Amino acid sequence: MTTREPDGLPSQYAPAEVETRRYEQWEKAGYFQPEAQGHSQSEAQQGAAAPAFTIVLPPPNVTGSLHVGHALDHTLMDALARWHRMRGFRTLWLPGMDHAGIATQNVVERELAKEGLSRHDLGREAFVERVWRWKAEYGGKILGQMRRLGDSVDWTRERFTMDEGLSRAVQTMFKRLYDDGLIYRDNRIINWCPRCLTALSDIEVNHEDDEGELVYIRYGDNSKTGDGAGDRTGDGTGTAAGAGGGIVVATTRAETMLGDTAVAVHPDDERYAHLVGKTVELPLTGRRIPIVADAHVDPEFGTGAVKVTPAHDPNDFEIGRRHDLPTLTIMDEHGVITAPGPFEGLDRFEARPAIVAALREDGRIVKEVRPYVHAVGHCDRCGTVVEPRLSLQWFVRVATLAKAAGDAVRDGRTVLYPSEMNARFFGWVDDMHDWCISRQLWWGHRIPVWYGPDGPDGQPQVRCVGPDEEAPAGWTQDADVLDTWFSSGLWPFSTLGWPEPTADLREFYPTSVLVTGYDILFFWVARMMMFGTYAMKDRAPQEAVPFRKVLLHGLIRDQFGKKMSKSKGNTVDPLELIDRFGADAVRFTLARGANLGGDMSLAEDWVAGSRNFCNKLWNATRFALMNGATSVRSGELTELTAADRWILSRLSAVTGDVTRWLDEFEFGKACDALYHFAWDEFCDWYLELAKVPLASGDEAAAASTRRVLGFVLDQMLKLLHPVMPFVTDELWCALTGEDSVMLAPWPEFALPDPAAEAELASLMRLVTEVRRFRSDQGLRPGQRVPARLAGIEGTPLAPHEESIRSLLRLTAPEDGFAVSASLAAEEVMVEIDLAGTVDVEAERKRLEKDLAAARKEAAQTSGKLGNESFMAKAPADVIAKTRQRLADAEADTVRLESRLATLG
RNA sequence: GGGCGAUUGGCUCAGCGGUAGAGCGCUGCCUUCACACGGCAGAGGUCACUGGUUCGAUCCCAGUAUCGCCCACCA
């Protein structure tokens, strides 16, 4: 039940209204823009320009909506941005979106299909126009969702990979690479998606284990004697080339045999040495093809003989080049057989069994068919099995670019977190294939190359056209567009105005940190580093890299540790969680689970737990306000009690810890530290202790406590703000009367007090001990019990007698007080009058259990101290600690024995 | 096929060469005047297995098992 209290704050935090109002206020005030952040509050930085802190948002697909992976990504980025803003950095978090070539085109094509149209019915220009219309209407849903999360991005600098400035950047980059000979066009085997009808780069292909068949086929015919291989075989050279003659090859893609133009064996393979240079007959076709020797062949695999299909397999293509074999294309772009004959017009997956069946008509040809599980490439976008296809495409020559990217990490100009990712990164950049960048799509950046009339060499003239150049009249532009990742690779600098020498580029590049899941380290990070170091090569090397740090966080799994996927139905919608628990709760849960390098699981229960934490903060602040707390500066903290000095000492520790953890991207540890400080130390102990002076009637003591309450709360809310922006802003403003905590200076408070910590630790041990007794005795928590704290005078706990009595609900001894139980704790004998109702058996059981534990501990530690090897080799501090443990255990033993004795 | 990581209470995870931690869940008591989205107390683990190094191993090393991820042009 929510009741409205006199202080104006209801007893439960209601996130929805606060979130909407606060976000609007922040945006309106311009806090997200570095220009409006007013960097004058930090004395340390006066006179000097505030340092810049930059994050570019990994641009989500224009087709996308916010999933829980984004929510984690964004929470970490926003926490970093907010933290740096509070520390006085000119902070820019730049948002934007990716045009997502294939994904977007597919979406719009599906929409067209509902109208019975294909993109070809519209034509290129109208189709692209239609995609833009789709974008205007439905695209970018994710941007609105980011506001719900509280993302403090600078909306005035939002960019899109297809907007005019970025398109110029793309064209400029292409032209520079082209002029430097780093872009070329070639006829090569590329990954082809027969459904999307476009080339794909290696990273757009996912390898999955599929069940297939390995078919052993005998090439060459020994039913007739005569030329070729047949007449020399059958001489016991093994099963491969054995009885029956010819040569047996193994294949998983039987249909490609129609395009075979050779059989290859290893040059050192003695089984086949006599066949090299001969020809065999290719079944079903009547063609004779040569047997060649090539070192690529693995003699151990299959029969050691490989069919060679240069037009349909990348390895075979290379073999074909080395041996000058013809390329025979037998399939069209849809994966339909085009080779004349009975299989023409069949889809590749229909042709495969059909061809095996046809081969089987002659019982001697198919030697064996065995089930075979092997990795097959699938289109990243639609899942269709990728077909290697020979075609004319554009490529980036990556060797030098990739090396530069690798060097940036090797030199420490860019640091990966966690560093375990270095090995993966190097493995990738050091062995990268040339990047196929042309796509047979309509949605994307058109390749800026134009073709004219034939030149002197009989080939059409080619010209790469820069952004400020005109193509010669009458020439035609290349029909293809660029891979989406080409433009995203420019993101850290194209968004800041490159290639123009803008002020933003000067100030905010290199960006400070890139935050992303480790799954796209290679997709995207490596490319940005290749392009960034190249585009900025006129800068000093350490200023050329696109980011100084890369934070790679784990993936989010469900509560059972399983990867989330739509097909499993175990996805979590972050917006629904925000609706139910509030954005701060979702953010805190994600940040708390974010351990460097580790994946995290997400369950609703934890979000509920974080929601409870928000509410705890809410009520702690409400309590403080109801008691007249206001924020003060640390200089106003005077007349401090031990409890005050204790909480201030703990605040000092958590301030240092949180700052350090954030600096190391250890969000989980920072959140844990704050959670325990706020809940266990501040709420459960300090607020309870504070009730004594607040209610004491001693106005000086109450005023001092109000100041400490206000100060600690003020600092604590600031420390929490990067991760929980909404609730902290609302509460901090209620406490201080300021407009927003967003630009409040980050706490640097340090007032450690070991003596106070020791004193309060002693108090807590005593209180806990007596509470346990009370619980064991079945006393209701609220029940007042007469008690005497015998012997407290002169101990460090003496000043706390009133607090102890308050925490334990102990009343002063009155007439007729009779000790029915006494517990020795912390040098104090707590004598309690239970009016004779003490449960002796329960107490005896408890004491005997504790006594057994204490004796065991004493025996163990004493044994250790009697061990010569231990005493000789263990370090002094360990021995000292062990001695202390023994002393404690012995003291406990004595104490417990005496308590047992008093039970009678 | 290659590389990397994981294996700790019911669940999800921290931790770390020297007395096992958290959150949630669980048990008992309690509407004590900030909060039942709460308070207090409590139960629960031979830190995957087998060896090794060490005075001492959950932690270091080797091997085994299981799981996960990334990379991959052996047909």
Side-chain angles (χ1 to χ4, degrees), chain A residues 803-823:
Chain A
S803 297
I804 292 168
R805 287 184 174 280
S806 162
L807 291 167
L808 289 169
R809 318 279 160 193
L810 302 179
T811 58
E814 293 170 10
D815 290 349
F817 178 84
V819 177
S820 56
S822 57
L823 359 170

Side-chain angles (χ1 to χ4, degrees), chain A residues 835-882:
Chain A
T837 62
V838 61
D839 182 343
V840 176
E841 273 321 298
E843 181 65 356
R844 183 190 306 283
K845 249 171 126 178
R846 163 72 72 186
L847 290 176
E848 280 172 351
K849 189 181 157 197
D850 288 357
L851 181 57
R855 283 181 171 149
K856 189 178 164 195
E857 175 75 5
Q860 273 178 359
T861 45
S862 126
K864 211 163 183 180
L865 289 163
N867 182 319
E868 282 178 37
S869 303
F870 173 74
M871 296 304 286
K873 299 195 177 179
D877 64 312
V878 171
I879 293 175
K881 232 186 260 176
T882 309

